[in-house]
Amino acid sequence: MALSKDDIRRAAERLDHAEKTRTQIRQISLEHPGITIADSYAIQKAWIEMKVAAGRIVKGHKIGLTSKAMQSALNIDEPDSGILLDDMFFADGGLVPTERFIATRVEAELAFVMKTRLSGPNCTMFDVLNATDFVVPALEILDTRVERVDPETKSTRKIFDTIADNAANAGIVLGGRPIRPLDADLRWIGALCYRNGQLEETGLAAGVLNHPATAVAWLANKIAPNGLALEPGQVVLAGSFIRPIETRKGDTIQADYGPYGSVSCYFA
C-alpha cells in the first residue's frame, strides 16, 4: 500500500464531508498518484467505519463494474464492491430526496437476499444459488462524492476514486416479485428501464459476468481474506446490466422486469 494510515483517514474524512455538504472533492488519484486498489478499499473501509460509529448498520454489499465494456474502459479485469447501509434503502414506488445527493444516476440490477452464510475461498455460482433465499428486481441509485472530471487537468475519475467512494453507491430500491434462485434462468431476466415514461435502457442479467450469481461468488471470494463473508439476511446487488440513467429532481424511474414485476422511484 502506498498511502499512510493518516492519508487513508484524511481521505475518508474528506469523502464524508463531501457527502454531508453535497460538495464534490478532487479526485483522490490526483492527490495520491501512487494509490493502489488496496489503498482504495482501505479508504472505503475507514469511511464505512465512520458511518457505523455514527449509528449506521451494514445491510449488505454492492458489486459494480461487472460488464466487460466498463472494465475495459477503466483498464481493470475484475469488478469492484461497496457496502450497503440501512439508510440507503428506499421504498418501491417511494420518494428519493434529491437534496441528500449530488449527481444521481440509476441502474437496473438483481438483488440476492442471503439465506445462509456464504464464504470463500473457492465459492462458486452453485454455492451462491444454494445460499440464496430469493432474488428480487432492484434499482441502484449511484452518486459521486468525487469529481468525475478534474477542472484543471481534465483527468477523468479512476477506479481508485470509485472504490474509495464506496463504489459510487448511494441508495437501493427493491421491488417486483421475489424469485427463488432455481425457479428461473437468471441470465434471461431482463428489464425495460423508463425515465418519465420514455424508454431509456434495456438489458439482460447475463450482462453481469454471464450470470449474476457469478458476481456474488466473486464477492464472497474477494472478501474472504479479510475474514468476511456474506451473512444471512444481507442483500447483495449483483451488478448492473444497463448503462446508468442520469436523473434529476422530478424524474420518475421505472424498471419493468416483465413476469417478475417492476420497481420504481420518484426523485422528489
Side-chain angles (χ1 to χ4, degrees):
M1 292 171 66
L3 273 62
S4 69
K5 288 184 178 179
D6 283 345
D7 291 334
I8 289 166
R9 176 183 51 79
R10 281 194 293 267
E13 289 172 347
R14 290 176 63 216
L15 285 165
D16 197 58
H17 184 260
E19 183 178 64
K20 288 175 178 174
T21 61
R22 296 183 64 209
T23 305
Q24 291 178 330
I25 63 172
R26 191 167 189 248
Q27 295 162 23
I28 299 169
S29 60
L30 291 178
E31 302 285 345
H32 301 282
I35 191 171
T36 66
I37 294 289
D39 290 324
S40 301
Y41 277 111
I43 294 168
Q44 180 192 121
K45 182 173 183 286
W47 187 20
I48 295 300
E49 286 173 349
M50 290 170 56
K51 288 170 170 279
V52 170
R56 299 275 60 84
I57 299 169
V58 174
K59 288 291 187 179
H61 303 261
K62 70 146 286 185
I63 305 165
L65 304 178
T66 52
S67 74
K68 290 296 183 185
M70 287 298 294
Q71 289 179 13
S72 297
L74 290 168
N75 196 30
I76 57 172
D77 60 4
E78 69 173 14
D80 69 353
S81 67
I83 302 296
L84 301 178
L85 300 170
D86 58 331
D87 64 341
M88 296 176 177
F89 287 73
F90 296 95
D92 182 19
L95 303 181
V96 176
T98 52
E99 71 272 7
R100 192 175 131 183
F101 305 111
I102 302 171
T104 51
R105 296 179 296 163
V106 173
E107 295 178 334
E109 316 197 8
L110 290 179
F112 287 65
V113 181
M114 306 314 297
K115 177 175 59 179
T116 57
R117 192 172 194 264
L118 182 67
S119 61
N122 306 317
C123 179
T124 69
M125 176 182 76
F126 307 106
D127 297 321
V128 172
L129 296 174
N130 283 329
T132 300
D133 197 2
F134 52 86
V135 179
V136 63
L139 296 174
E140 181 183 7
I141 301 166
L142 303 174
D143 199 8
T144 176
R145 280 67 59 166
V146 178
E147 290 174 340
R148 292 186 194 172
V149 179
D150 183 69
E152 295 178 18
T153 65
K154 307 304 178 187
S155 173
T156 56
R157 192 177 44 168
K158 304 293 189 294
I159 181 64
F160 311 104
D161 304 297
T162 304
I163 291 172
D165 192 18
N166 197 26
N169 179 256
I172 172 176
V173 184
L174 301 177
R177 181 169 73 82
I179 312 151
R180 292 295 179 187
L182 296 179
D183 285 354
D185 184 344
L186 300 181
R187 299 174 308 149
W188 286 98
I189 293 180
L192 309 176
C193 301
Y194 299 83
R195 178 175 58 194
N196 303 328
Q198 295 290 315
L199 183 63
E200 293 278 344
E201 292 288 340
T202 66
L204 285 175
V208 179
L209 301 180
N210 193 45
H211 195 296
T214 303
V216 181
W218 169 85
L219 178 62
N221 291 327
K222 182 73 175 180
I223 65 178
N226 300 322
L228 299 175
L230 306 180
E231 302 293 346
Q234 284 191 339
V235 176
V236 181
L237 281 173
S240 177
F241 46 85
I242 66 164
R243 291 181 298 182
I245 299 172
E246 302 277 350
T247 65
R248 299 170 297 275
K249 186 173 184 177
D251 283 348
T252 295
I253 302 293
Q254 181 193 26
D256 180 357
Y257 284 75
Y260 306 105
S262 64
V263 56
S264 66
C265 62
Y266 173 72
F267 286 84

